[in-house]
Amino acid sequence: MCHIKYKLCLFQDIRNQRRYRQRRKAELVKLQQTNAALNSKTAFYNVQIDYYNQYIKTCMDNLASNKGKLSKKPGDTKAKKSKQVSQKYTAARLHEKGVLIEIEDLQTNQFKNVIFEISPSEAVGVFDVKAKFMGVHLETLQLEYQDLLQLQYEGVAVMKLFDRATINVNLLIFLLNKKFYGK
């Protein structure tokens, strides 16, 4: 009895083989179409990424070049080139402005002994930040403006500088805009 059931199943498999083959062929065509559509979307998104990266680069170049253009104020007889110089702030001043929230292991009354110097680097949108404590140079780090904007976009309110100082991201962006980009 078992032998007959096996032969019937085998017979039906052979009989349905053509249908199975047709289904597999249709599934293969669908998979190939899906693959082609995904490849097309990937190419489109890669072009979009290149476009946006170029747009961001152009915006950053415009920010840098607008600050360095000749500026003539009413009443001035000579146009003078504005030069981006470094900005020095005591930690106490940055704390007053709300940019600096805290420095680990340092009391607020000691903030006057800490100086942060922010200066634009050769690369557009990159700033060198130096920290000094009582005149002794501690550390230097590079801060990318675009990274700050990304943090702001992601809703990150605070970040760490030098693994010790807690900074308000929005107010730091505001400070950089005001002092280096004239916004």
Side-chain angles (χ1 to χ4, degrees):
M1 192 71 155
C2 233
H3 188 63
I4 295 173
K5 284 184 182 178
Y6 174 73
K7 283 188 179 185
L8 279 174
C9 286
L10 187 61
F11 174 71
Q12 283 185 348
D13 278 348
I14 294 171
R15 200 174 97 193
N16 292 330
Q17 216 172 27
R18 189 172 135 253
R19 276 190 230 144
Y20 296 150
R21 206 176 305 122
Q22 287 173 342
R23 274 192 216 140
R24 284 194 308 266
K25 196 173 192 179
E27 286 176 7
L28 184 61
V29 167
K30 284 182 183 177
L31 286 172
Q32 288 170 338
Q33 289 172 345
T34 303
N35 189 31
L38 287 173
N39 288 337
S40 174
K41 277 189 177 185
T42 300
F44 171 76
Y45 287 129
N46 284 335
V47 168
Q48 287 294 101
I49 287 170
D50 290 341
Y51 173 78
Y52 287 129
N53 285 336
Q54 184 62 38
Y55 176 74
I56 288 170
K57 184 182 180 312
T58 303
C59 289
M60 294 304 290
D61 289 343
N62 286 342
L63 275 175
S65 66
N66 283 345
K67 188 64 179 177
K69 284 187 179 176
L70 294 176
S71 61
K72 189 172 181 180
K73 294 180 182 175
D76 281 353
T77 55
K78 296 180 184 176
K80 58 181 178 182
K81 187 169 179 125
S82 62
K83 184 182 176 189
Q84 291 186 350
V85 295
S86 63
Q87 299 287 320
K88 292 182 182 180
Y89 296 98
T90 63
R93 182 72 179 124
L94 289 176
H95 186 67
E96 285 174 21
K97 290 178 174 264
V99 176
L100 178 67
I101 298 170
E102 71 171 351
I103 300 175
E104 290 178 10
D105 302 328
L106 198 63
Q107 298 294 324
T108 314
N109 61 358
Q110 290 290 312
F111 281 7
K112 64 182 180 274
N113 297 323
V114 178
I115 297 175
F116 290 101
E117 182 178 345
I118 305 169
S119 58
S121 72
E122 295 295 317
V124 175
V126 179
F127 297 92
D128 294 321
V129 181
K130 298 176 184 173
K132 294 179 181 179
F133 182 69
M134 297 180 74
V136 177
H137 177 74
L138 297 176
E139 285 185 71
T140 300
L141 69 80
Q142 284 198 327
L143 189 63
E144 291 194 32
Y145 188 72
Q146 198 168 342
D147 291 345
L148 291 173
L149 292 176
Q150 182 66 34
L151 289 173
Q152 184 183 45
Y153 174 76
E154 292 170 356
V156 176
V158 296
M159 65 176 274
K160 289 276 193 178
L161 281 184
F162 307 110
D163 294 326
R164 297 184 67 142
T166 306
I167 302 291
N168 182 316
V169 174
N170 292 331
L171 292 175
L172 181 58
I173 290 171
F174 177 77
L175 179 78
L176 293 175
N177 281 337
K178 185 177 175 186
K179 294 300 179 180
F180 295 101
Y181 296 128
K183 304 261 180 208

